[in-house]
Structure formats: C-alpha cells, structure tokens
Amino acid sequence: MSKADALVLFGVTGDLAFKKIFPSLYEMAKDDRLDVPVVGVAREGWSRERLINRARESVEAQGGQADSTAFDALAQQLRYVPGDYTDPTMYDRLRAELGGAQRPTHYLAIPPSLFPVVVNGLGASGCAQGARVVLEKPFGRSLESARSLNATLHSVFGEDSIFRIDHYLGKETVQNILFFRFGNSFLEPIWNRNYVDRVEVTLAESFGVAGRGKFYEEAGAIRDVIQNHLLQVVSLLAMEAPVGPDLDGFRDEKVRVLKSIRPPTREEAVRGQYRGYREEQGVAPDSQVETYAAMRLFLDSWRWQDVPFYVRAGKRMHVTATEVLVTLKPPPQRRFSGREFDHREPNHLRFRMGPNVEIALGATVLASGQRGHTENVELYACRDVSLQTEPYDLLLGAAMAGDHLLFARQDEVEGAWQIVDPLIADPPPVAEYEPGSWGPDAAKSLIASPAGWHNPVAAD
Ligand code: BG6
C-alpha cells in the first residue's frame, strides 16, 4: 500500500470541510503527519489566502486559538483551484496544480448528486491515474442508485482505490464494541437469543438540521444515519467473530448480518418530523421528510432469531447521545428466602458512543443497610468523561495510506440499502413531534417492553 502524495478536497468551501476536515488536517499537522500538499477545489472564485483564512476560522471554531506552528504547517500545504465541476478545464488546472504527484487521494465532500460528474471529470483528465477516491455517505439514495454509482466509480477507479466513508467506523467508541465483544470471553456464552431479550440503538440529537435543510430534504433520517451509521453499529453488535486475520473476513461477517436482517414492514417503522422543521431554510412548506425514524428489526440467524433490534434516530430530541442498550432476560426466580425482589430491572450492557464514552454492565445488588431491598447499579468497564474525539483525521490518514479496514465495502452498502429500500419506497406517514421530546408517540408501541424505550441521559 503506497502512501498518497497529495490530498484533493472537492467541496473545500462547504460545511463538512469547515466542521470536520480542516480541524482534522490541523490535528495531522500538529502531530507532524501532514507532509503532502492539500489542494482545495470548489466553485467559489476564492484566492489561496481566503482559503487559509477559512481554515483558520474552522480550526478556531472547533478548538479556540490555533497553535501557530501547527497552523502554519497546514497553511503551507494549502492550494486552491476554483472552477465548475462540469468544466473540463478545471480538471486540467487541477492536474497542473498537482504537479508531479503520482498518487493523489481525491476526497469528495460534495452533494452525492455530483459524484458521477466529478468521477468522470477525474477520469477524463488523467487526474484519476494512480489515485484513490474517498466518498462521503450516503452512498447512493437507494439500492439501485448505489449500484449505478458503483458502476460509474468502477469505470474509473479499481475497488482497491475506492474508500466509502462512514465516520462511525472511525469512532473509537464504535470500534470498542468489537474489542469488548471479541477481546473478552465472558460475553460470548450470553451473546445470543438464549440470554438477550432485546437490543436498542439510539442516535439522539438535541439540535435540528442546523442550516442543512436543503441536504436534509434530499436525505431524511433513514438515508442520513440509519442506512449507514446505525446499521454499521447493528452489524458490529450482531456479527460472528471474523474468520482469519484478513480484512475481508471482518467485512464478510458484517455483510452476513445485513443479509440476515428482514426489511421492516411499514408497521414495524415510525417516521416523525419535529415541529418547526418546515420553517427551516431550504425545507419545503409541506415537506414529508422524516427528521426522526424508528424501526424494529429481526435477524434471521441461529444466534439472533426472534430477538428484536430497535433502532431509532432523531433531530431535536431531548438530549444528544448515541447509545446501545442490550437487555438480558430476567432471572427465572423472583422470590427466594421468603422474599420477593423489589427491583425487577434485568441485567444490561450499555455502550455509550457519544458524546462521551462509557461501557457499563447493569446489575442488581443488595442495597447496603436496606433490609433486603435491592438496587440497580452499573459496573463500568470504561468511562471517559471527555468528549469523543473526531474520527476524521484517522479516516483521512487511513485512506491516504490505502488502509480499507475502516471503510465500507460495496456489498455492505448494498446490504444496508436492501433493508431500508422498501420503507423508503412505501414509507409510513410522518407524525409531528415536539422539539425536545423523544419523538412521536407512535414509536412507543413499536417496542415490546413494559418500560418502553431506554432513553439515554444527557452528558454531564
Ligand atoms: C452525519 C449526519 O453523517 O452524522 C448528521 O449527516 C449527523 O446529520 C451526524 O448529525 C452524527 O454524527 P456524530 O458523529 O455527531 O454522532
């Protein structure tokens, strides 16, 4: 795997570059890991100085005052090529700016509808020669469009040169699901339909579409985060241990999980829209796009048959938190030594993936000095009160080094579309919900648990 000798950022004036990519490049510069030119490309007729200022604003918006040596190291690498993505001369100017670079990595932080235009432009101009391409999710809008995008990509790039980003795979907390599952032997005997009652995965955000109304109108919660981030999390929770040490063994097992998931019916899903969404900029006044979605999934497999996996995601929810709760079946005996348990909470495993990090085991103990009363406690396997670090510098570095481990393979992407495609084609109606709530009431009846959904608490 040869290392990239230039990084090209399409969409460098956009939101993703501002929020995630510049801060990551800055982190790389700070650790002396940014030793290649970074060429920004966008439609705006900016100068290089303006791009450098934008990078500075981005770094400061994320972390306060930038360290001047590190920032200078970043600024020194920045170049800018303005132009229309449909204009062939723009790619010629890019080729010239790349100079002698033999192995550029092209990062497409642009609306998905522009992926084919840019990929073809890169191919026709020779910029794709020896190059890699990194694509932001969502990869396609449906199974069919994902396949057609893949065909376009393959007409220009080999599979080894394609990196499909799902930034959840770059999060340490998400990777920790794997390490916790396969790095310990105590979990395996209970990690199945005999002991697990249900699994809940929640991605709640207290903020709304935050200026991305136009993008959101094309996406909605199912395409934006369930088809990718949350189904990746489900795969890691449910997969078998990979066979053999190679990368494909790992991805094969994830694909097997996706293939085992029965696409939810309309009755197994709820869509919601927060009150006020239709007044957001770029949103249609009669929009039917969901800002919340919840679904009940079943996996047809020996390990997971009949165990419901409840998955939900929403904007303008009560808190911002991404959390998994795996609830075990209760113990069979409720009474012993003439006493009845006063606490009936079954054991659970809780994986908190953002904004802070926790893995906890919920257990029942005798409450000290309480004369036989019990209490529910959590034993922490890990607990980090600091906020989750951004995964983008890890992902950028991996793509530039040609390491595919943290990227989605095409069959994973297709497997995930296969699950949500029927719902997207024939969606249940959207129900309005109050900002700051836990979503529409209809979602309550999806879950077969007397306690209802597990609602994560806010970070301290
Ligand atoms: C992005 C979505 O992929 O993930 C956003 O487009 C969402 O809508 C974000 O807010 C959530 O990521 P994180 O890392 O903040 O949980």
Side-chain angles (χ1 to χ4, degrees):
M1 284 187 286
S2 49
K3 200 171 162 295
D5 53 6
L7 175 65
V8 181
L9 294 177
F10 283 86
V12 75
T13 55
D15 203 46
L16 186 74
F18 187 82
K19 288 199 184 126
K20 311 272 185 189
I21 301 176
F22 285 130
S24 299
L25 292 174
Y26 170 72
E27 288 303 319
M28 290 167 88
K30 215 155 87 178
D31 303 344
D32 253 345
R33 285 185 289 129
L34 190 67
D35 53 1
V36 298
V38 177
V39 185
V41 181
R43 262 183 309 236
E44 284 76 7
W46 287 11
S47 62
R48 178 166 177 262
E49 284 60 45
R50 176 127 188 230
L51 184 68
I52 292 173
N53 283 337
R54 172 85 168 171
R56 189 189 306 279
E57 282 162 25
S58 147
V59 171
E60 291 181 350
Q62 301 305 312
Q65 194 62 36
D67 167 297
S68 62
T69 316
F71 188 79
D72 289 350
L74 164 61
Q76 211 187 3
Q77 300 290 11
L78 289 178
R79 322 269 186 276
Y80 187 60
V81 175
D84 194 310
Y85 300 142
T86 56
D87 174 8
T89 67
M90 192 277 284
Y91 298 90
D92 296 339
R93 282 182 285 118
L94 172 60
R95 185 63 266 175
E97 189 63 63
L98 283 171
Q102 306 284 308
R103 296 176 309 280
T105 292
H106 300 288
Y107 189 118
L108 310 192
I110 52 178
S113 53
L114 294 172
F115 288 167
V117 176
V118 172
V119 167
N120 288 326
L122 290 171
S125 61
C127 290
Q129 196 88 39
R132 299 192 176 113
V133 65
V134 184
L135 295 101
E136 266 301 326
K137 50 121 297 243
F139 190 90
R141 297 181 46 72
S142 61
L143 178 60
E144 199 190 326
S145 60
R147 284 187 174 146
S148 119
L149 172 58
N150 200 43
T152 307
L153 277 172
H154 277 280
S155 66
V156 175
F157 293 96
E159 179 63 23
D160 270 2
S161 309
I162 301 171
F163 294 79
R164 301 171 188 86
I165 278 210
D166 182 319
H167 78 274
Y168 264 53
L169 289 176
K171 284 180 187 261
E172 246 179 47
T173 48
V174 174
Q175 292 167 15
N176 215 348
I177 296 176
L178 271 189
F179 283 84
F180 192 69
R181 280 196 59 200
F182 299 125
N184 295 302
S185 49
F186 63 83
L187 215 52
E188 176 56 20
I190 58 167
W191 207 247
N192 55 49
R193 62 192 305 273
N194 299 322
Y195 290 89
V196 175
D197 183 72
R198 61 184 183 277
V199 178
E200 293 170 61
V201 184
T202 298
L203 192 175
E205 295 175 317
S206 58
F207 48 89
V209 290
R212 295 158 76 222
K214 190 161 172 285
F215 160 79
Y216 216 77
E217 280 287 275
E218 284 185 27
I222 298 177
R223 286 192 177 97
D224 186 34
V225 295
I226 293 187
Q227 185 271 344
N228 34 75
H229 305 332
L230 296 193
L231 287 179
Q232 283 287 352
V233 170
V234 169
S235 303
L236 298 178
L237 287 166
M239 69 186 271
E240 299 301 318
V243 178
D246 68 331
L247 166 64
D248 274 328
F250 167 60
R251 299 202 285 188
D252 289 348
E253 293 306 333
K254 286 202 287 167
V255 170
R256 275 156 48 99
V257 171
L258 295 170
K259 282 190 179 156
S260 76
I261 298 178
R262 245 179 277 155
T265 61
R266 260 172 136 247
E267 290 66 41
E268 289 173 315
V270 168
R271 294 194 313 136
Q273 188 185 77
Y274 64 79
R275 199 163 44 75
Y277 172 69
R278 292 177 183 180
E279 280 87 64
E280 301 268 7
Q281 204 187 354
V283 173
D286 57 352
S287 172
Q288 296 298 315
V289 168
E290 77 282 352
T291 59
Y292 170 101
M295 53 192 74
R296 182 170 59 221
L297 303 174
F298 286 101
L299 284 65
D300 286 322
S301 72
W302 190 269
R303 188 187 285 270
W304 295 115
Q305 196 70 34
D306 298 330
V307 177
F309 279 63
Y310 300 101
V311 171
R312 66 177 169 167
K315 303 256 181 219
R316 280 233 195 286
M317 302 283 280
H318 193 61
V319 300
T320 294
T322 304
E323 195 160 294
V324 169
L325 193 82
V326 178
T327 304
L328 302 187
K329 293 184 172 163
Q333 196 176 358
R334 295 239 187 266
R335 290 176 68 85
F336 69 92
S337 311
R339 289 181 194 279
E340 179 116 4
F341 276 114
D342 55 351
H343 271 75
R344 301 269 174 90
E345 261 186 44
N347 296 137
H348 66 247
L349 251 307
R350 190 168 62 78
F351 297 85
R352 170 95 163 186
M353 292 173 287
N356 55 328
V357 181
E358 284 169 3
I359 298 182
L361 168 66
T364 298
V365 293
L366 181 64
S368 151
Q370 297 291 306
R371 293 171 191 247
H373 289 295
T374 58
E375 64 176 336
N376 293 112
V377 294
E378 279 196 327
L379 317 176
Y380 282 96
C382 83
R383 186 178 202 190
D384 187 349
V385 286
S386 59
L387 299 184
Q388 217 335 247
T389 50
E390 278 298 337
Y392 270 85
D393 64 311
L394 180 70
L395 293 172
L396 270 176
M400 288 167 74
D403 179 359
H404 278 89
L405 180 66
L406 302 175
F407 297 86
R409 213 169 56 184
Q410 177 66 13
D411 51 355
E412 283 177 62
V413 172
E414 291 188 11
W417 279 122
Q418 237 145 10
I419 296 163
V420 295
D421 250 12
L423 270 188
I424 290 175
D426 182 20
V430 280
E432 195 179 69
Y433 62 94
E434 281 302 308
S437 71
W438 278 104
D441 278 349
K444 288 183 187 149
S445 55
L446 266 188
I447 191 155
S449 141
W453 288 87
H454 158 72
N455 292 330
V457 297
D460 294 338

